[in-house]
Amino acid sequence: MGKVLVERDEKGIVWLTINRMEKRNAIDYEVMDIFKATIDEVAANKDDKVLVITGAGNRAFCSGGDLSVFHNLHTKDEAYAMLSKMGEILYSLMTLPKPTVALLNGTAIGGGCEVATACDFRLANENVKFGFVQGKLGITTGWGGASMLFEKLPYDKAMTLLMTAKQYSAREGYELGFIHKLFDENEIREQCEAYLAPYLSQSTGVLEAYKNAAIRKWKEVNLRERMFLEIEQCAVLWESDEHHEAVKAFLENK
Ligand SMILES: CC[C@H](C(=O)O)C(=O)SCCNC(=O)CCNC(=O)[C@H](O)C(C)(C)COP(=O)(O)OP(=O)(O)OC[C@H]1O[C@@H](n2cnc3c(N)ncnc32)[C@H](O)[C@@H]1OP(=O)(O)O
């Protein structure tokens, strides 16, 4: 099966599943391309009401960028080319005029947390962990995640998650307001469908109108411009010895 599975059900839910368990559902260029194609399809398809993004298996939602591929990026310009590609995709996810859900089936790390942040709602298996760990790699969020997080959480809560670069439990995430609902670990898709029922009972037009009200605000506060300044900053740090040594250490300790 492919690196990403896309399924549609009769309720109007589009399920996008990152299907790379062997790499804890890490995102490479092929995964990025399928993300973009799916987001564009959902935007255009009137029968698609809600997009749910999740991961295969129960170990990881998404472990962020595929370090086995991206460790070959050395210069600021090389890094910026990759980072901005995913930054565009996450901006399109953030501003998709339909409800979006990150269903945290497992651990969300680094860019995986940025994908989750781009979604309207974050629902989690109560046993998962998540962490904006980029700081431990000597970089900052490289896909626009910090700028998006400042739109979703109060300043102090967002800064705690970003600056500590720690992994947090789903319960801590719920208390911080990053996670909206905790599910027991069994049948999380069914629990997700039940959570979405009141949203799915509205027309696509109603759902789009409310999402567009938020999108208009994000455009007024120059969210896209801020995301790309953030991405540029990450690309500068990407060149640092601290970053390259941290990634090398991860890959060599396998
Ligand atoms: C690209 C930039 C982007 C951004 O912010 O802009 C980022 O995402 S930067 C952050 C990149 N991600 C990470 O640093 C996370 C690295 N992975 C981990 O910390 C752990 O793997 C974790 C916590 C996700 C899961 O831990 P667990 O013990 O369950 O698994 P293992 O560590 O043993 O990993 C199993 C297997 O998967 C490979 N793996 C895991 N994550 C990645 C990854 N991000 N890229 C590539 N490969 C990954 C790991 O190497 C193991 O492979 P194996 O061949 O079995 O040794």
Side-chain angles (χ1 to χ4, degrees), residues 22-24 59 63-67 109 111 114 134 142 254:
E22 75 286 355
K23 288 188 181 280
R24 295 297 184 268
R59 297 293 294 272
S63 59
D66 186 335
L67 296 173
I109 291 290
E114 298 180 78
Q134 289 87 338
K254 285 170 54 172

Side-chain angles (χ1 to χ4, degrees), residues 49-70:
K49 297 186 84 166
V50 175
L51 173 61
V52 178
I53 295 173
T54 191
N58 62 7
R59 297 293 294 272
F61 165 73
C62 174
S63 59
D66 186 335
L67 296 173
S68 68
V69 174
F70 301 149

Side-chain angles (χ1 to χ4, degrees), residues 95-223:
T95 58
L96 175 67
K98 297 190 178 177
T100 54
V101 172
L103 180 59
L104 306 186
N105 59 295
T107 302
I109 291 290
C113 288
E114 298 180 78
V115 171
T117 302
C119 293
D120 298 315
F121 304 104
R122 284 159 294 281
L123 317 178
N125 164 347
E126 60 193 358
N127 298 319
V128 308
K129 286 187 172 296
F130 71 97
F132 290 84
V133 301
Q134 289 87 338
K136 294 192 186 305
L137 296 174
I139 56 174
T140 48
T141 44
W143 291 341
S147 300
M148 292 188 286
L149 194 63
F150 291 135
E151 295 302 316
K152 305 280 176 94
L153 285 186
Y155 171 77
D156 58 332
K157 303 290 189 300
M159 275 302 194
T160 297
L161 293 179
L162 295 166
M163 285 186 164
T164 60
K166 280 173 43 180
Q167 291 191 30
Y168 290 86
S169 70
R171 169 64 60 185
E172 289 171 313
Y174 179 76
E175 287 162 1
L176 283 164
F178 181 67
I179 291 172
H180 299 95
K181 183 75 176 175
L182 298 174
F183 293 146
D184 70 55
E185 64 182 343
N186 302 309
E187 300 181 333
I188 61 169
R189 288 201 177 200
E190 289 76 5
Q191 293 174 78
C192 179
E193 284 180 27
Y195 180 92
L196 288 173
Y199 299 82
L200 291 164
S201 64
Q202 308 310 320
S203 70
T204 302
V206 164
L207 298 173
E208 283 194 27
Y210 280 126
K211 187 66 180 279
N212 278 323
I215 294 165
R216 281 194 292 273
K217 176 199 162 214
W218 293 329
K219 287 181 176 173
E220 284 167 8
V221 296
N222 298 319
L223 173 60

